[in-house]
Every structure is written in C-alpha cells, then in structure tokens.
Amino acid sequence: MIRSLFSVRHRELPEPVEPGTVLTSAHELHVKLGARHVLRGVDIEARASEVVALVGPNGAGKSTLLAALATDLAPDSGTVRICGRDAGTWSAGELALRRAVLPQSAQLSFPFLVEEVVRMGRAPWSGTPLADNDDEVIAAALRATEATEFTGRPFSALSGGERARVALARVLAQQAPLLLLDEPTAALDLRHQELVLRVCRERAAAGDAVVVVLHDLGLAAAYADRVAVLHEGTIAADGPPAEVFDGELLSRVYRQPVEVLPHPRTGTLLVFPERG
Amino acid sequence: MTATVAPSKDAEPSAAEGPATPKSPSGRARRSIPYLLTVGMLAGLVVICLLSAGIGAYKIPLGDVIGSVQHRIGLGGAALDRVGESVLWNVRFPRVVLALIVGASLGCAGALMQGVFGNPLAEPAVIGISSGAAVGGVASIAFGLTFLGTWTLPVCAFVGGLVTVFLVYAMSRSGGRTEVVTLILTGVAVTAFGMAMIGLFIFFADNAEVTQITFWQLGSLAQATWPKVLAVLPWALVGLAIAPFYSRKLDLLALGERPARHLGVDVERMRVVLMFTTALLTAAAVAVSGIISFVGLVVPHLLRMLAGPGHRFLIPGSALGGALVLAVCDLTARTIAAPAELPLGVLTGLIGSPFFFWLLRRTRRKQGGWA
C-alpha cells in the first residue's frame, strides 16, 4: 500500500541505546493548568536500564510531570528532551517508536477484543521490518501481564483490574525504550501489583527506562532504582530509595507522621504511617 | 472473575500455558464475517439494482433489463423498444445510481462521524450536519444562485455542512471527550437553528421556489437525471476515497485522544481531514435528496454488531451497506403506495427512529444513566 511505503521513509527508527544513556529529561519545567502553577521548576531525568518512581501526595504534580514527559502538555517554560532531542522536534510517529505511555484510566469507545487492543500497540511499527514480529510481541506482552486468557473477550467486558493489565500489555507491545506509566498498580490486587513492578524491572533489565507514578511507597522502595518525591510542584528529593525515604522528609511532604524501617529479613525499606 | 491464576510463587503458570495463541475462536470467526458480509452485500446490491430497474409503472421484465445492459456494454443482448430504453436509461438507472451514491455517502459519513466522536450515536442528521447542509442548499435555491451551474447546490450544501460540523464539534467537546448528552443536545440546538434559517428562506422565497424547496427537503430521488448524478458523484467519490486511509487511525482513536497520539497518530490533522470528508459526503447526499436521516446511524451500528468495530471493514462496509439500504428504501418508497410515491426521508425516518430509541436506551443502560 502507498501508506506503508511513505511511513518508513518519513520515520527515523530508534537506535539501540547503551545502559545509562539519558532517555528523557526535563529541565526547569514550569507548567500552569488554568490559574494553578502545578510544576514549579522541575528537573528530572531517566536513564536506560533504570526504574524511576514518582511519588508524592495527591496534587503534587506527578501526573502532570508524566504528561509533560509524554509531550501531552506543552510546558509554560523549560525543556523536555526525549532520546537526545528536544521533544518538540520529533514527529508523532517517531515519538511513538520511542516512548509508550500508560494512562491512569483505560477507556475504549468501541467493543474491540482484547487481542485487537493489544495489537494497537504495534501500530507505530507498521511498515517497518519489525512489524513481522507483531504476533510474538503481542503474545509475549499478554503473557507478561497474565492477560493471555482474555484475548478473545471484548475489552469492555473486563473488570477494572483486568483492563489495567490489558492496557499495560498494549504499552509493552509498543516496544518503546522509554515507558511512562501513570499509576499502573491503582486498580490491581496484591499479586498483580507485584507482577506489574516485576515487569518494570524486566523492562529495565532489557535496557528500557521506566518512569512510574506510584502511591505505594513500599512498592517504590522495593522495585525502583531511584525515587523522586514531588511536593507542591517541585522535587523534594531524588535518589535511591535508601537515601530518599527518610521518616522526617516523608512526614513533612505527606503531612502525616511516617516511620521507615528496614525489613527484618531482606533489609528492604518499609514505610508505615504512624498510628496512635 | 477469572483474573487470578492458580496460586504460585512467581509468573511461572502463565508461561506454562504454552505458546499463546492470540487467535481465539471468536477472534477467527470475526475475521471471516467481513468477507461473507461483503459478498452478501454486493450480491444484494446487484439484485436490488436489477429489480429497481425493472419495477415501476412501466414494467420491464428482468431478462430485458439484463439484455439491454448487455447490449449497451457490447456483450450481446438486445436493445428494448424506444420507450422501454428511455425509461430504463433516463429514468430508472439514474435514480438507482443516485440512490447508491446517497446511500454510500450517508453510510460512510456515519461510520466516520462515530469514529471521530468516539460515540455510536453520532450521525450527520442526528447531530445537525445534515440540516446545516440543507440550509446551504435551501439558500442556493431561495436566492436563485447559479454561479456554478449544476454544482451550485452541492457547493452551498458543502459549505453549510462544513461550518456546522466544526461548530458542533467545538461546542460539544469538553476535556478531550464528547459526551452523549452534549452531542445530542448540540445537535438539537443546531438543527433548530437550521430549521429556523430554512423557514426564513422559505418565507422570503416566491411560490415556485417554495415548491422546489419543500419537495427537495422531504428527501426524494424522484427527480434523478444523469446531470444530477454527475453533479454529486465527484464529491461522493472523493469522500469515499479518503475515508479508508484513516481506518487504522480511527481504531487507535477509540483508545482516546492522548493514547492515539502516543501511538503516533497526528490527531488534530486527522480530525480536520475527517470532518472535511464527512462534510463532503453529507453534502453530496443532502444536495440530491434533502435530509435522509438514520441511514448513517443504523448501517454502521449493525455492521459493528456483526463484524466487530474494526474500521478497516466498517468504513467500506458501511458505504456498501448504506447503498444497499437506500436502494431498497427507494424501491419501497416508490412502489408501496403506487402510483403515489412516499418521500424517501419519511420512510427512512419511520424505520430509523425506533432503532434510534432502542440505541439510546441501550447506551443509557450500559452507562447507568446520563449523569
């Protein structure tokens, strides 16, 4: 088809990246939504082969920051770079080969089957040599999120948690080196929360950069290489969980007394609200 | 629900299910349905065209119709007598072709609108695009405009439709979504305004023009002629040719605007192109036959229920289905009360409205109210 002829010529395919390469970065980012100054000078970066968790109280600007990194929002000032170039200089098709985004809630206007939904994640690759792997990639993504058993069902017939996993499978099928996940664990049970974070680790081990918004600080401590704590539109702390998770800092940011303890057996940090 | 797999320490059980086969039985069944539907609709079209050509006040036997067609395209057969030949080629065939053009345009426009708005209730007539195009059309009759010859009315209808499509779109969206209530209410408001404008034009028009406008508005193909066919064919063809290029992107748009953009779709550009296309198609249909409602609503909906929501089949399928439905409706309209002729728009409205009711109730049930 004519379309597939054109599509390859206009798109620059992503190069394989070395571990540690900065895949996305924001510098002095300011975003206003209406009258509210949601982000006030945020600096953050995510490198290949690492999982970065964005945590913070409601309204701290986590989702806004993720949306800015995803280029959904134009920042009022500051820059966002993706794969070494200013985000605005990529075409929509080129960006789709470089970053995949999991929205907070998965919606679908028409009753597509689960397999069709996951296949949509392959759309950016159509017309490239990698499109030949579509079936294997889709099957692998469904296996990774334990969604294989729903393949033939309409997406609209799934429960909230099942939809969330299918949406994640679609994002994985996109095979972008930069993954931006907005609360992927929100609708999930205990087992699948762990599963999703393990998938994040696997993607990082395979060389991707994963930026994930989390509410569960225990999950962030256990799985993230780096945690960025957002507080009123600024980064209050950014570093490995062992450095960032400090009872005093978290208590101040969340306005709730918080205790941080090492797990007696594994040594992973556990975060608890102090209760009477 | 079957969400949780057998308890286990890690992700092993899913891997143990063996190589995943994404082509589930229902998925495979869905894949073969489009072919069957396409063949079925094409066969139906041929049959209904031949029937329409033969049935009427001047009856022409089926064999003679086929013979005359064969004769014209040089494959044997034989010409009919002078009257028969004239009825067939100057009255019946233009009418059949016009029905096909109008039906295909309306079906395709409906499928596009529903895809763009992400809403199964969007349809050119329901959301007011048709009345916008009608205002353009009526204006051209009322002011006696002839600056483009036979193209004047289609051009005016197109401009009216285009203005309306963007107006409705701008007014009914909030936060990147189009809610059903807002969409329908916007349609009501736009249609009311359109009807008022048409009323105003009729008020100022002279008697001959009033007759012309009223007749045109009821939606009829009775005045079909070859020049009329040629006046709208290019519009419809351009629209029908553009639409299939956007089928995959429309699938992605079902995920929402942002996700579609994340998958590489230039959403803004696509939307502008598709609104333009819808206006073209609606104008082509309205220009010849006035407002014919519900074809663009019913046809894509039925096809989606039968073959799934994938636009790769839905868009061309809706064009085919629309053509078939309109050809059947036109045949019915001119034979059911013979020798009188039922206006086509009245007939489609009679059949389409109950379907629209049912669809509204179903959508409401699914969403648990309009909120």
Side-chain angles (χ1 to χ4, degrees):
Chain A
M1 283 265 310
I2 306 165
R3 198 163 24 133
S4 50
L5 285 177
F6 283 133
S7 53
V8 188
R9 197 159 4 120
H10 289 309
R11 275 178 296 160
E12 199 180 301
L13 295 182
E15 307 276 327
V17 286
E18 294 290 311
T21 316
V22 176
L23 287 185
T24 184
S25 61
H27 181 61
E28 272 301 307
L29 203 60
H30 287 262
V31 175
K32 286 193 190 108
L33 294 180
R36 223 163 71 84
H37 204 154
V38 185
L39 295 181
R40 310 155 177 266
V42 170
D43 284 273
I44 195 168
E45 58 183 34
R47 299 165 184 278
S49 308
E50 74 174 355
V51 176
V52 178
L54 299 180
V55 302
N58 294 338
K62 305 182 294 291
S63 294
T64 309
L65 175 56
L66 205 75
L69 292 178
T71 66
D72 288 339
L73 287 173
D76 289 284
S77 67
T79 53
V80 173
R81 295 174 70 80
I82 286 175
C83 292
R85 257 166 63 178
D86 202 74
T89 61
W90 296 109
S91 72
E94 288 168 329
L95 268 180
L97 296 170
R98 286 166 178 81
R99 62 101 178 82
V101 185
L102 179 75
Q104 220 171 63
S105 64
Q107 47 160 315
L108 194 66
S109 315
F110 297 108
F112 282 97
L113 299 180
V114 166
E115 193 229 330
E116 294 170 321
V117 172
V118 178
R119 192 172 288 277
M120 289 178 190
R122 297 301 296 162
W125 297 97
S126 85
T128 73
L130 266 98
D132 298 340
N133 307 336
D134 280 3
D135 289 332
E136 293 106 83
V137 174
I138 291 163
L142 285 165
R143 267 201 307 280
T145 53
E146 295 190 352
T148 309
E149 58 182 300
F150 326 131
T151 40
R153 282 164 51 188
F155 183 80
S156 44
L158 303 181
S159 77
E162 290 167 341
R163 287 181 191 201
R165 275 146 61 202
V166 171
L168 180 64
R170 168 178 72 72
V171 168
L172 293 177
Q174 202 176 333
Q175 287 193 314
L178 172 61
L179 291 174
L180 305 171
L181 314 176
D182 198 352
E183 296 194 32
T185 57
L188 299 183
D189 60 34
L190 196 64
R191 171 195 169 76
H192 290 105
Q193 290 191 4
E194 297 293 319
L195 174 82
V196 164
L197 269 294
R198 271 202 309 273
V199 168
C200 292
R201 284 249 54 100
E202 280 163 24
R203 296 314 312 158
D208 295 347
V210 183
V211 180
V212 51
V213 174
L214 287 175
H215 267 298
D216 186 327
L217 299 176
L219 280 176
Y223 287 103
D225 295 298
R226 255 177 48 232
V227 179
V229 183
L230 268 96
H231 180 47
E232 293 175 355
T234 57
I235 303 266
D238 182 357
E243 289 173 21
V244 169
F245 282 165
D246 156 67
E248 190 272 322
L249 172 89
L250 293 180
S251 301
R252 180 170 57 81
V253 167
Y254 281 91
R255 293 188 294 131
Q256 158 75 37
V258 167
E259 258 182 305
V260 182
L261 314 166
H263 188 278
R265 190 162 46 78
T266 61
T268 310
L269 292 180
L270 304 173
V271 183
F272 293 105
E274 267 179 43
R275 297 182 180 118
Chain B
M1 290 260 116
T2 50
T4 40
V5 194
S8 162
K9 293 178 209 72
D10 49 32
E12 286 306 306
S14 58
E17 284 167 22
T21 43
K23 289 175 184 62
S24 62
S26 70
R28 206 178 303 134
R30 245 190 197 188
R31 256 177 280 275
S32 60
I33 288 173
Y35 297 105
L36 294 175
L37 275 173
T38 310
V39 172
M41 287 192 293
L42 280 173
L45 270 182
V46 172
V47 171
I48 200 71
C49 286
L50 292 176
L51 282 179
S52 294
I55 297 173
Y58 184 96
K59 288 213 166 34
I60 306 171
L62 190 60
D64 289 0
V65 173
I66 297 174
S68 176
V69 173
Q70 278 182 327
H71 177 71
R72 288 264 174 149
I73 56 178
L75 287 175
L80 307 173
D81 57 75
R82 217 168 49 81
V83 182
E85 197 73 3
S86 170
V87 167
L88 191 61
W89 290 94
N90 295 333
V91 179
R92 300 269 165 82
F93 275 136
R95 183 164 185 161
V96 170
V97 172
L98 215 51
L100 298 185
I101 295 173
V102 170
S105 301
L106 288 175
C108 187
L112 287 180
M113 291 252 82
Q114 292 168 18
V116 171
F117 281 94
N119 192 321
L121 291 175
E123 197 254 350
V126 171
I127 63 175
I129 314 298
S130 297
S131 66
V135 170
V138 170
S140 82
I141 299 175
F143 295 133
L145 301 178
T146 50
F147 57 97
L148 289 169
T150 53
W151 280 47
T152 316
L153 201 145
V155 169
C156 291
F158 172 66
V159 173
L162 195 65
V163 169
T164 323
V165 89
F166 280 99
L167 205 69
V168 169
Y169 189 74
M171 291 201 299
S172 63
R173 289 183 72 77
S174 60
R177 283 192 56 221
T178 319
E179 281 165 14
V180 183
V181 194
T182 330
L183 185 65
I184 306 278
L185 291 182
T186 310
V188 170
V190 169
T191 307
F193 184 72
M195 288 307 150
M197 292 289 286
I198 291 174
L200 202 63
F201 288 138
I202 291 178
F203 181 75
F204 286 115
D206 62 36
N207 273 341
E209 284 164 0
V210 169
T211 317
Q212 205 188 342
I213 291 171
T214 316
F215 200 76
W216 174 76
Q217 245 191 301
L218 283 172
S220 168
L221 297 171
Q223 305 294 307
T225 55
W226 287 119
K228 239 182 180 175
V229 169
L230 287 180
V232 295
L233 186 64
W235 303 76
L237 282 184
V238 170
L240 291 172
I242 295 174
F245 282 95
Y246 284 86
S247 49
R248 183 153 194 188
K249 291 176 181 169
L250 280 173
D251 284 352
L252 298 181
L253 195 62
L255 293 168
E257 262 174 54
R258 279 184 174 187
R261 200 175 300 123
H262 297 151
L263 288 167
V265 180
D266 188 340
V267 177
E268 291 308 315
R269 213 186 77 187
M270 165 167 101
R271 194 178 292 140
V272 171
V273 172
L274 288 185
M275 304 271 240
F276 203 78
T277 312
T278 317
L280 264 181
L281 289 168
T282 311
V286 169
V288 275
S289 58
I291 299 175
I292 293 179
S293 46
F294 298 117
V295 174
L297 184 79
V298 177
V299 171
H301 211 82
L302 288 179
L303 291 178
R304 205 178 283 121
M305 282 162 74
L306 290 171
H311 288 87
R312 214 164 67 98
F313 168 71
L314 193 64
I315 288 177
S318 296
L320 260 183
L324 180 60
V325 165
L326 213 77
V328 172
C329 282
D330 187 46
L331 181 60
T332 315
R334 67 187 177 84
T335 51
I336 198 164
E341 197 173 295
L342 213 60
L344 188 55
V346 171
L347 188 71
T348 60
L350 280 177
I351 303 170
S353 315
F355 183 84
F356 187 59
F357 276 129
W358 171 75
L359 201 61
L360 266 177
R361 289 196 60 84
R362 210 178 73 122
T363 314
R364 188 185 185 284
R365 220 179 16 253
K366 234 173 30 193
Q367 296 186 345
W370 293 125

